[in-house]
Amino acid sequence: MLQICDLNKSFGSVKVINNFNKDFDSGCIYLLTGPNGSGKTTLLKIIRGLVKSDKGEIKIERSFSEKLTYSYVDANNRSFLHRLSVKENLRYFMALNKSDRPLEKIDQCADVFQAGGLLEKMFSELSSGQMQLISIMRGILEEPMVLLLDEALVNLDKKMLNIVATFLENFVSKQGRLVIICSHNTNLPFQFKEVIELS
């Protein structure tokens, strides 16, 4: 379980997160929603360690994972190398993360998401929805215990949303992982443990 206690964050004089407290259970998917500026992205980045909080702490139960790993996926595709193929990109990021997982995992992951036909395409040739799907695949290939999706579903069509939802529900329930989704859309096809609205 991931426990957030009295978390606070300000940017200058603007208070973004004010005494936030929440317990997140493993084996569950949570939806984080709220208006622009309510602190959704900031909260996910603090959990991931990309932003430092001003006050508060994040506690981890050892039973949750002895080696807790995170993956943060957003809607920004600039980190991909557009002159390389999708498969070359995924291989590159696996090597960058010093992953010891076999490269066959890429093909297996692509099959799950019906994306096998995209692997040999140049990344620059993909549509925005296809780019977003590859970003999600990259996050999943890291096999994190905590997967953070920051508006990462925004460009996916209905069919792909359903495929991702089915996968993630199995991902958390069978392997005891935690997924937190940040989205303005509260009608996503997921079985959420809880919808958390920030204001």
Side-chain angles (χ1 to χ4, degrees):
M1 181 173 69
L2 189 71
Q3 186 178 37
I4 300 178
C5 305
D6 298 323
L7 202 69
N8 287 267
K9 180 63 182 177
S10 296
F11 292 102
S13 61
V14 179
K15 191 81 167 180
V16 178
I17 298 174
N18 186 29
N19 294 327
F20 182 81
N21 292 274
K22 190 67 197 173
D23 292 348
F24 294 94
D25 295 327
S26 57
C28 299
I29 303 175
Y30 291 82
L31 176 64
L32 195 63
T33 189
N36 291 334
S38 59
K40 302 183 299 297
T41 291
T42 300
L43 179 58
L44 292 191
K45 287 185 174 181
I46 290 173
I47 293 172
R48 176 62 183 85
L50 300 174
V51 171
K52 184 175 176 58
S53 64
D54 297 330
K55 180 185 174 185
E57 60 181 330
I58 298 176
K59 300 178 181 178
I60 308 296
E61 282 192 359
R62 286 196 173 272
S63 59
F64 182 73
S65 173
E66 288 295 328
K67 183 182 179 183
L68 191 64
T69 53
Y70 299 85
S71 183
Y72 174 84
V73 180
D74 61 14
N76 186 345
N77 298 305
R78 285 179 293 181
S79 60
F80 284 90
L81 303 172
H82 287 234
R83 68 184 183 278
L84 298 182
S85 71
V86 169
K87 195 168 200 175
E88 288 169 334
N89 266 284
L90 294 175
R91 283 176 174 169
Y92 168 75
F93 286 110
M94 288 177 75
L96 196 64
N97 293 323
K98 299 180 180 178
S99 173
D100 57 358
R101 299 174 186 91
L103 293 178
E104 289 78 8
K105 286 280 187 182
I106 294 175
D107 297 294
Q108 294 168 8
C109 190
D111 288 343
V112 168
F113 291 106
Q114 300 179 18
L118 301 179
L119 293 180
E120 301 307 323
K121 286 189 174 184
M122 295 294 106
F123 192 82
S124 59
E125 297 174 354
L126 303 184
S127 68
S128 58
Q130 290 170 335
M131 287 180 178
Q132 199 57 61
L133 177 62
I134 301 306
S135 292
I136 294 170
M137 285 174 54
R138 179 177 67 180
I140 289 167
L141 283 167
E142 295 177 11
E143 297 186 359
M145 289 304 298
V146 180
L147 177 63
L148 307 169
L149 300 178
D150 186 6
E151 296 292 353
L153 307 173
V154 66
N155 292 315
L156 302 186
D157 60 31
K158 184 177 180 180
K159 177 183 177 183
M160 188 49 61
L161 270 176
N162 287 325
I163 292 173
V164 171
T166 299
F167 173 85
L168 290 181
E169 284 163 9
N170 289 327
F171 183 72
V172 298
S173 63
K174 292 182 178 179
Q175 303 182 47
R177 301 174 192 268
L178 168 63
V179 175
I180 305 175
I181 298 172
C182 166
S183 179
H184 290 289
N185 182 5
T186 57
N187 295 314
L188 295 168
F190 292 82
Q191 296 294 320
F192 293 113
K193 167 82 173 183
E194 186 179 349
V195 176
I196 303 162
E197 185 161 1
L198 299 182
S199 57

